[in-house]
Amino acid sequence: AQTVTQSQPEMSVQEAETVTLSCTYDTSESDYYLFWYKQPPSRQMILVIRQEAYKQQNATENRFSVNFQKAAKSFSLKISDSQLGDAAMYFCAYSNDDKIIFGKGTRLHILP
Amino acid sequence: DGGITQSPKYLFRKEGQNVTLSCEQNLNHDAMYWYRQDPGQGLRLIYYSQIVNDFQKGDIAEGYSVSREKKESFPLTVTSAQKNPTAFYLCASSIGIGDPRGNTEAFFGQGTRLTVV
């Protein structure tokens, strides 16, 4: 069975600095998708970034980028120039042809 | 406007009563999911469905039931057998495995906060 592990329950970063959130996963499949979702206090789930496993190039979306290491089954999220609005829960997710599963999340605090 | 609608936003029920949470989508997605969110537990998969009239158990299906009679609708019933039903419930949908793009990202509703007293 596939699993997603986020080993950092909470993290803090100074405003304008860079922070990296970690995620590892376990799967025997070769083709899948990985995602990072943001959940602000409103609890609405917002897609931050998506990575397709067959693509070697790391995905980027403005200040958000990932470091995808397929062999190591690692998928970390880097947030550059952190802003107060980035404060939220961040969930790593894995998707295959069957279902979408999530990690336990990392709560990110932004220090002014 | 396309999206997923969960209702109600807040739900209160007495212990021992069954309760049904509604989830409707107009995104023409084949796949739909129910997740439960508790503090420190992340999103745990309850049930999912890739096609009408078919669904599978997730990791924490005990005490829950679902139906998928229409593509647009995937209601979740929390039964009296669920020992600790108070939680935040999220419904989601995705394109599904029938699409060449595969089972891509999930689109979420706004959630239902269920409190059992």
Side-chain angles (χ1 to χ4, degrees):
Chain A
Q2 298 89 4
T3 58
V4 176
T5 302
Q6 293 180 250
S7 58
Q8 305 152 316
E10 288 196 59
M11 290 195 72
S12 296
V13 63
Q14 210 73 37
E15 196 177 0
E17 296 296 309
T18 296
V19 64
T20 298
L21 308 184
S22 301
C23 173
T24 58
Y25 60 94
D26 190 24
T27 183
S28 58
E29 301 180 1
S30 60
D31 198 14
Y32 47 87
Y33 291 90
L34 296 164
F35 312 96
W36 279 97
Y37 281 85
K38 172 184 177 180
Q39 188 183 45
S42 67
R43 306 197 84 167
Q44 179 67 50
M45 295 287 284
I46 302 165
L47 178 68
V48 174
I49 200 163
R50 176 176 75 173
Q51 176 77 44
E52 295 161 67
Y54 67 87
K55 289 187 177 178
Q56 291 187 340
Q57 187 173 6
N58 288 325
T60 62
E61 284 288 341
N62 301 314
R63 298 183 294 108
F64 299 88
S65 61
V66 298
N67 183 4
F68 173 48
Q69 302 288 329
K70 191 171 184 179
K73 296 179 183 174
S74 171
F75 183 61
S76 61
L77 174 70
K78 185 171 85 171
I79 306 174
S80 304
D81 185 27
S82 298
Q83 300 175 0
L84 293 177
D86 295 334
M89 281 291 290
Y90 285 83
F91 293 99
C92 179
Y94 166 97
S95 167
N96 63 2
D97 277 347
D98 188 32
K99 57 191 174 187
I100 303 174
I101 58 173
F102 289 79
K104 291 189 175 183
T106 296
R107 183 172 297 282
L108 180 63
H109 303 277
I110 310 295
L111 307 173
Chain B
D1 248 355
I4 300 179
T5 302
Q6 287 186 245
S7 60
K9 190 171 182 180
Y10 299 98
L11 192 54
F12 295 88
R13 278 296 181 268
K14 290 184 178 178
E15 198 169 334
Q17 287 183 336
N18 291 357
V19 61
T20 297
L21 282 58
S22 170
C23 179
E24 304 275 333
Q25 55 100 358
N26 60 4
L27 299 168
N28 199 33
H29 285 172
D30 283 318
M32 296 188 74
Y33 311 84
W34 274 106
Y35 296 91
R36 170 177 172 147
Q37 186 176 13
D38 297 284
Q41 294 294 321
L43 275 66
R44 292 184 290 170
L45 184 62
I46 306 173
Y47 268 98
Y48 60 105
S49 168
Q50 288 288 345
I51 196 168
V52 174
N53 292 323
D54 190 35
F55 48 83
Q56 285 74 42
K57 292 181 179 180
D59 298 320
I60 57 165
E62 186 175 349
Y64 300 96
S65 66
V66 293
S67 62
R68 188 83 188 276
E69 296 177 2
K70 298 187 298 182
K71 187 176 185 177
E72 303 79 22
S73 178
F74 192 41
L76 173 74
T77 296
V78 185
T79 75
S80 56
Q82 169 50 234
K83 290 185 171 56
N84 185 18
T86 293
F88 186 66
Y89 292 87
L90 281 162
C91 179
S93 71
S94 66
I95 292 173
I97 59 176
D99 190 281
R101 290 164 288 181
N103 209 20
T104 58
E105 68 263 29
F107 293 78
F108 284 85
Q110 291 190 310
T112 294
R113 173 69 186 176
L114 172 65
T115 302
V116 174
V117 296

